[in-house]
Amino acid sequence: MGEFELIRRYFASAACAAGGEAVALGIGDDCALLAPPAGEQLAISTDTLVAGVHFPAVCDPFLLGQRALAVSASDLAAMGASSVAFTLALTLPDADPAWLEGFARGLNQKAQECALALIGGDTTRGPLSMTVTVFGTVPAGLALTRSGARPGELLCVGGVLGEAGGALPLVLGERQADAAVAEPLLARYWSPQPQLALGQALRGKASAALDVSDGLLADCSHIARASSVALVIEAERLPASAPLEALLGAQRALQLKLGAGDDYVLAFTLPPEHLPELSSNWPQLHVVGRVEAGSGVRVLDAKGVDITPRQGGYLHFMESP
Amino acid sequence: MGEFELIRRYFASAACAAGGEAVALGIGDDCALLAPPAGEQLAISTDTLVAGVHFPAVCDPFLLGQRALAVSASDLAAMGASSVAFTLALTLPDADPAWLEGFARGLNQKAQECALALIGGDTTRGPLSMTVTVFGTVPAGLALTRSGARPGELLCVGGVLGEAGGALPLVLGERQADAAVAEPLLARYWSPQPQLALGQALRGKASAALDVSDGLLADCSHIARASSVALVIEAERLPASAPLEALLGAQRALQLKLGAGDDYVLAFTLPPEHLPELSSNWPQLHVVGRVEAGSGVRVLDAKGVDITPRQGGYLHFMESP
């Protein structure tokens, strides 16, 4: 089966999904063509997931399809971009119809949720991996970068952290848990919800933003470095997670909220005057700290004692699944 | 080493390469930002190369770096696009500095040649593979698609075909040859020259175009199907290749000119009135056939006898390196 035929057959509904007028030419030629509206810039991000590194080699292909797209779409949210389209480079050991059907169904469903149209790709034979490149549009000058944080601003997150990391022992089959605990954690791991609407709402308001993919501490250090400021995280303000705390206890839950990746929740800095309006529209938004002059990231407990872990986040060349 | 640091360290010169004003934000944030000039569309293509499938698992990383970028840049040429930028998703079994240095040097050199700036990417651990996504701009309405060929037009190619396919036994070490024969063939395999300037010269002239990556027969069938026409290839008009014919003989050379991929030469259909001007500027351009009413692709010998091979080109799920 040729690559276009393979892509068309299994990914047809994603190819037809709303990409809107910005998609001038979709799958089937040497290139796709995008036509961003006048005054808009095109936001682009690429992520690769490798079997045995970023997901278990044996897993549900439907869930994997959802996750593969969500991880990349989250980068559009982090820039405040509106979603437009994506390409899929899929490397497979063989063309197993049952696997492809499940993977495509998960991918297509997430593509519909995120309003992303499949505009091209490549299918190759080899060890299982996938590279998704996403495209969005953002008015020129309004993209949320990492470099605008200023002392006196608030540090906020768009939702609960640590749950995807807490799901890992369940994903890997190292632990069992009651459904009431396991299901919400596994959903966070396999089907992250890219915060696209929140990202767009932060245009012109947040001074710096990113999505928490490497862990809050590591990702905050990216903002601190890019903005030449210090970030302070107040540990007791990190949103609670009942299933996470039930599974692992409060101490380990805090470690995961600070250090685990894969939640794909937005973290951003915000001038205080924008908080009331945003909070009323986004109840899941939490202030978790503040921006100060200086450098680096510190974590303080309720008494103001520095409890910053030595090693925060993870780096991709050291990661384990 | 973090992914940004890895990318920055080895691919710094590609990140600084000319991407021109269309690159609004490069490596280091959640997304890159491109700002196509008013009236221009963005052309996008993605290609994956997998070790042991698209290139030998043990090979010169410098040559591999050149080839990885050239293969994708050729898709921009096939659309008539001007090159702007690329992303690199690189999966490596380990971070071997000598390998990375060689790969990056080859990639950077080809990026300079093709005027492509590195704007983002991902580095992951896993079996060796790489996905390159390229970005170019083309005035709205002038992209070269596959669907505009009309009966009465000429079928042309932008250069010699079959040489990259002829190099394969040399690449795989299955055969030896004198340097006079081996060197030009190996250069065609490892360092394809994307015909970007020719593609841009064909804007508003060629009625359909693509780059020959799957073999002339298979790629012509893509044009025939997309344009609802028949294409006739006149075998004796296919450009000669002294090294290919010296290595393999005339009969096998013809098979490779028709069926071997990897040359990344443009094939296109052209209203005859445009031929004189183009031929004078592009001496390597060859008329190799014509467009007729009907469907499919036929190959005729010098006497007009149909010599169409049963199986033309290759499809990616059946390919061997």
Side-chain angles (χ1 to χ4, degrees):
Chain A
M1 192 184 297
E3 68 188 74
F4 290 143
E5 197 187 332
L6 188 80
I7 291 174
R8 279 209 193 91
R9 180 159 157 187
Y10 288 100
F11 302 103
S13 76
C16 298
E21 294 173 9
V23 179
L25 182 68
I27 287 178
D29 216 298
D30 294 284
C31 290
L33 294 174
L34 292 185
E40 303 255 330
Q41 296 181 329
L42 205 73
I44 299 165
S45 179
T46 292
D47 282 286
T48 299
L49 301 183
V50 179
V53 178
H54 301 91
F55 57 90
V58 176
C59 68
D60 181 338
F62 172 80
L63 295 173
L64 179 61
Q66 289 207 318
R67 184 158 191 269
L69 194 62
V71 164
S72 291
S74 182
D75 283 318
L76 295 180
M79 291 303 271
S82 303
S83 48
V84 173
F86 70 106
T87 60
L88 169 68
L90 182 60
T91 301
L92 297 168
D94 47 53
D96 172 359
W99 191 94
L100 270 166
E101 188 278 326
F103 180 79
R105 200 158 40 83
L107 189 92
N108 291 345
Q109 185 177 306
K110 193 59 87 174
Q112 293 267 344
E113 275 175 39
C114 296
L116 286 163
L118 180 66
I119 56 166
D122 196 7
T123 49
T124 49
R125 184 164 54 82
L128 180 62
S129 74
M130 57 217 61
T131 297
V132 173
T133 305
V134 288
F135 304 96
T137 51
V138 61
L142 288 186
L144 307 173
T145 68
R146 299 175 173 189
S147 56
R150 296 291 170 264
E153 296 178 341
L154 305 170
L155 173 63
C156 306
V157 296
V160 177
L161 294 169
E163 292 188 337
L168 264 186
L170 306 171
V171 169
L172 297 171
E174 296 168 359
R175 245 186 117 135
Q176 305 292 320
D178 291 343
V181 166
E183 281 176 7
L185 297 180
L186 287 168
R188 286 293 298 264
Y189 181 84
W190 282 116
S191 184
Q193 304 295 323
Q195 300 193 295
L196 289 156
L198 174 58
Q200 291 161 38
L202 294 177
R203 288 179 190 165
K205 297 189 175 70
S207 56
L210 44 62
D211 62 324
V212 178
S213 57
D214 293 344
L216 183 63
L217 262 179
D219 285 317
C220 281
S221 76
H222 298 324
I223 292 180
R225 193 162 44 236
S227 298
S228 301
V229 296
L231 293 185
V232 175
I233 298 169
E234 296 163 69
E236 87 285 1
R237 304 184 78 167
L238 292 169
S241 163
L244 183 63
E245 280 137 21
L247 184 71
L248 299 170
Q251 189 57 33
R252 179 75 184 132
L254 175 60
Q255 288 174 349
L256 291 175
K257 288 174 192 179
L258 290 170
D262 294 334
D263 283 301
Y264 301 102
V265 157
L266 297 188
F268 53 96
T269 55
L270 190 71
E273 64 266 28
H274 294 306
L275 184 63
E277 184 199 337
L278 279 171
S279 286
S280 65
N281 292 327
W282 303 92
Q284 72 273 47
L285 185 161
H286 290 259
V287 177
V288 298
R290 58 188 188 266
V291 186
E292 294 186 348
S295 63
V297 183
R298 282 176 298 140
V299 184
L300 304 183
D301 72 8
K303 296 173 186 162
V305 177
D306 191 322
I307 56 167
T308 312
R310 284 264 187 100
Q311 173 73 45
Y314 61 72
L315 296 171
H316 285 292
F317 259 96
M318 311 184 318
E319 77 202 5
S320 58
Chain B
M1 190 183 300
E3 67 188 74
F4 289 144
E5 196 188 333
L6 189 79
I7 290 174
R8 280 211 192 90
R9 179 159 158 188
Y10 288 101
F11 302 104
S13 77
C16 300
E21 295 173 10
V23 179
L25 183 67
I27 287 178
D29 217 298
D30 293 284
C31 291
L33 294 173
L34 292 185
E40 303 253 329
Q41 296 180 329
L42 205 74
I44 299 165
S45 179
T46 292
D47 282 286
T48 299
L49 300 182
V50 179
V53 178
H54 301 92
F55 59 89
V58 176
C59 69
D60 182 337
F62 172 81
L63 295 173
L64 180 61
Q66 290 207 317
R67 184 158 190 270
L69 194 63
V71 163
S72 291
S74 182
D75 283 317
L76 294 180
M79 292 304 273
S82 303
S83 48
V84 173
F86 71 106
T87 60
L88 169 67
L90 183 59
T91 302
L92 297 169
D94 48 54
D96 172 359
W99 191 94
L100 271 167
E101 187 279 325
F103 179 79
R105 200 159 40 84
L107 189 93
N108 291 346
Q109 184 176 308
K110 191 60 85 175
Q112 293 267 344
E113 276 176 39
C114 296
L116 285 163
L118 181 65
I119 55 166
D122 195 8
T123 48
T124 49
R125 185 164 54 84
L128 180 61
S129 73
M130 57 217 63
T131 297
V132 174
T133 304
V134 288
F135 305 94
T137 50
V138 61
L142 288 185
L144 307 173
T145 68
R146 299 174 173 190
S147 58
R150 297 291 171 262
E153 295 178 343
L154 305 170
L155 174 63
C156 304
V157 297
V160 176
L161 294 169
E163 291 188 339
L168 264 186
L170 305 171
V171 169
L172 297 172
E174 296 169 357
R175 247 187 114 136
Q176 304 292 320
D178 290 343
V181 166
E183 282 177 5
L185 297 181
L186 287 169
R188 286 296 294 265
Y189 180 85
W190 282 115
S191 184
Q193 303 294 323
Q195 299 194 296
L196 288 156
L198 174 59
Q200 291 163 38
L202 294 178
R203 287 178 191 167
K205 297 189 174 70
S207 56
L210 44 63
D211 63 323
V212 179
S213 56
D214 292 345
L216 184 62
L217 263 179
D219 285 318
C220 281
S221 77
H222 297 324
I223 292 181
R225 194 164 42 237
S227 298
S228 301
V229 296
L231 292 185
V232 176
I233 298 169
E234 297 165 66
E236 88 282 3
R237 303 183 78 168
L238 292 169
S241 163
L244 182 63
E245 280 136 21
L247 184 70
L248 298 170
Q251 189 58 31
R252 180 73 185 133
L254 176 60
Q255 289 174 349
L256 291 176
K257 289 174 191 178
L258 292 170
D262 294 332
D263 283 301
Y264 301 101
V265 157
L266 297 189
F268 52 97
T269 55
L270 192 70
E273 64 267 27
H274 294 306
L275 183 63
E277 184 200 336
L278 279 171
S279 285
S280 66
N281 290 329
W282 304 92
Q284 72 273 45
L285 184 160
H286 290 260
V287 177
V288 299
R290 58 188 187 267
V291 186
E292 293 186 348
S295 64
V297 184
R298 283 175 298 140
V299 184
L300 305 182
D301 72 7
K303 294 171 184 163
V305 177
D306 190 323
I307 56 167
T308 312
R310 283 262 186 100
Q311 174 73 43
Y314 63 70
L315 297 172
H316 285 289
F317 259 96
M318 311 184 320
E319 76 201 8
S320 58

